Amino acid sequence: MDEKPGGSGTDSADVKEAALPSETINVDNGVSTDLINASGHIQEVDRNFSLLTLTGVGINQGSTWGPAGSSIIIALFNGGPPGVLYEFIVVSICYWVVAACIAELASAIPSAGGVYHWASVTPGKKWGRVVGFYAGYWNWLGWTLGGVSVASIAGNIFVQMYAAHHPDLVVQPWHIFLASVIIAWMACFLVCFGNRLMPHLNGIGIFITVAGVVITIVVVAAMPGSGGRPAHASSSFVWSDWQGTGLGYPQGYVFIAGMLNGAFSVGTPDAVSHLAEEIPLPGVNLPKAIAFQMVIGFVTGFFYLVAVLYAINDFEALAASPFPIAEIYFQATQSAAGEIGLLALLLFAILLTLVCVFIASGRVLWTLGRDNATPFPKFLTTINKRFGMPLNATMTCGVLTTVLLCIYVGNTIAFNALVGSYVLLSSSSYIAAILPNLLTGRKNIIYGPFHMKGALGFVMEFIACAYMIVWFVIYCFPPALPVTAATMNWSSLIWGGLTILVTLWWFVSARKGYKGPQAIGGMESVAEKVRRVSVNHGVGGA
């Protein structure tokens, strides 16, 4: 980078010195040591993460076994145990393809905006501005609603742990709401005020997540059939006995619909991309972290599901349980203490997931704000120099999470529809980035170290888009027939309503001052190597 914005040159000796990761670089207006990163913005945050700790974010956010266990009832109603396993395998393969496409874009344009930035570039200059705008909001809303969902799962687990020792307790929605709000703010405060601890927490989190699933597998595999406990389920029950579900759909469709649980469990492969400006050499490290996230998530998730399905000895009891995974744990251990212990391991994994969700949602909102895509952009783009992170944007996500959790108290059907639209929103943002790249011949960006060359790139992007578009429609179908107000799938209505609100904001205000990301990749900057910057450029104090 021979010329900085504003025309002042940068001495080659200064660049060489600045490139040392251990050095500290000052960021001031009009000073030649300004660092422009690959996103095209001034580097405002420290690069505190390493490949290991970045991988920790991906693994902890996509701790597949946690969400898979928490939402297992969805897949159990769509084919029983064989449906759970085979649906998980198929959806994982599909998401590997999506993850490869995302990794390629992240390697080319390592920006904290992630999908938002890529969708602004891949359609070309004519359409990139508006497509990126929608993609950014879909992605942020997806992360936000995903956080609400994870917080409610954590609240459910905590209440079920209490209920295990108090069998006479009648669980009320406000119990779960209160627990969910407390847990959500614990995670939000940890992200905001413990930002410099995040790399260490996520590094340790790899051990907690993997150890938790290993311990759970060992316990639910060893305890059934011993000490007078009921025996394991038969192999035919787990692998081949398709369960009639009475959902009113043909069995082939039941299998396809059951993949929703797998889509929720596999996580979002763009998670680590939102830390692109907080890790050295992101073009190289982001694809590696995404690969580790997907592989480790699949292995741990698959073996966890096999173990818990073998522990089932009363299938009918699961339908009557308010939290089926708790019932499975009880069936495996035949004790409240064993159930609570296993739920505690699950709760730890879900808490780490929630922390990582707040990391991502806050960063996405911050990047939207710095391009004037949001209301109050100056407020949302403030990097708190004491904590070195987008404090205002992350706290805003925490407030919105609390507001949305209030719906749980009033109407659980409306709440489930709201959080269920998370898959639709995140998929929409991925399509907005990948499909234009495919349709324009993959020529609007400069690719990075990870590049699927030739026909491979076209094939992978075609498969990824075909999968997401088809399943977008399928996930909008009601879960069962005949349809009532209680069984209707309102996710499409939520998606459409939120998209209309984004459209209104575009016409009312955003289109006037919003420009959108411009960097198209191929930018080799000193900023990608520097670990520490003194954040005093356009930021507010703590």
Side-chain angles (χ1 to χ4, degrees), residues 87-103:
E87 290 156 8
F88 179 77
I89 292 171
V90 173
V91 80
S92 294
I93 293 172
C94 293
Y95 263 91
W96 292 342
V97 177
V98 175
C101 298
I102 287 176

Side-chain angles (χ1 to χ4, degrees), residues 235-377:
S235 292
S236 61
F237 172 80
V238 174
W239 297 100
S240 60
D241 291 346
W242 190 267
Q243 301 288 332
T245 58
L247 298 179
Y249 286 111
Q251 293 299 330
Y253 175 82
V254 168
F255 180 90
I256 294 172
M259 290 171 61
L260 175 60
N261 184 60
F264 179 79
S265 305
V266 169
T268 44
D270 68 312
V272 298
S273 71
H274 302 297
L275 290 169
E277 297 170 35
E278 298 175 57
I279 181 174
L281 303 177
V284 174
N285 288 322
L286 288 174
K288 293 179 181 178
I290 292 172
F292 287 139
Q293 171 190 345
M294 302 307 291
V295 171
I296 295 175
F298 173 77
V299 172
T300 56
F302 180 75
F303 284 106
Y304 169 80
L305 288 173
V306 171
V308 298
L309 292 174
Y310 268 107
I312 297 173
N313 55 65
D314 185 355
F315 187 75
E316 286 70 24
L318 301 181
S321 173
F323 200 61
I325 193 62
E327 173 64 23
I328 295 176
Y329 286 165
F330 180 79
Q331 290 183 17
T333 63
Q334 293 295 302
S335 74
E339 176 188 349
I340 292 172
L342 293 176
L343 285 174
L345 295 175
L346 184 61
L347 181 59
F348 287 141
I350 294 296
L351 285 173
L352 287 169
T353 299
L354 187 56
V355 166
C356 295
V357 169
F358 273 116
I359 290 175
S361 61
R363 266 64 172 183
V364 176
L365 184 57
W366 166 57
T367 58
L368 285 168
R370 72 183 179 183
D371 289 325
N372 292 316
T374 65
F376 313 110

Side-chain angles (χ1 to χ4, degrees), residues 15 17-27 35 37 43-54 195-196 199-200 275-282 285 388 525-535:
V15 172
E17 182 179 3
L20 297 174
S22 61
E23 293 297 316
T24 297
I25 304 298
N26 289 321
V27 181
L35 296 176
N37 59 36
Q43 181 69 26
E44 294 185 89
V45 291
D46 293 337
R47 296 185 182 270
N48 292 324
F49 286 83
S50 64
L51 176 59
L52 175 64
T53 55
L54 184 69
N195 182 60
R196 289 181 174 84
H200 306 291
L275 290 169
E277 297 170 35
E278 298 175 57
I279 181 174
L281 303 177
N285 288 322
S525 167
V526 171
E528 311 306 310
K529 302 177 182 179
V530 173
R531 284 191 176 274
R532 304 286 296 177
V533 293
S534 297
V535 186

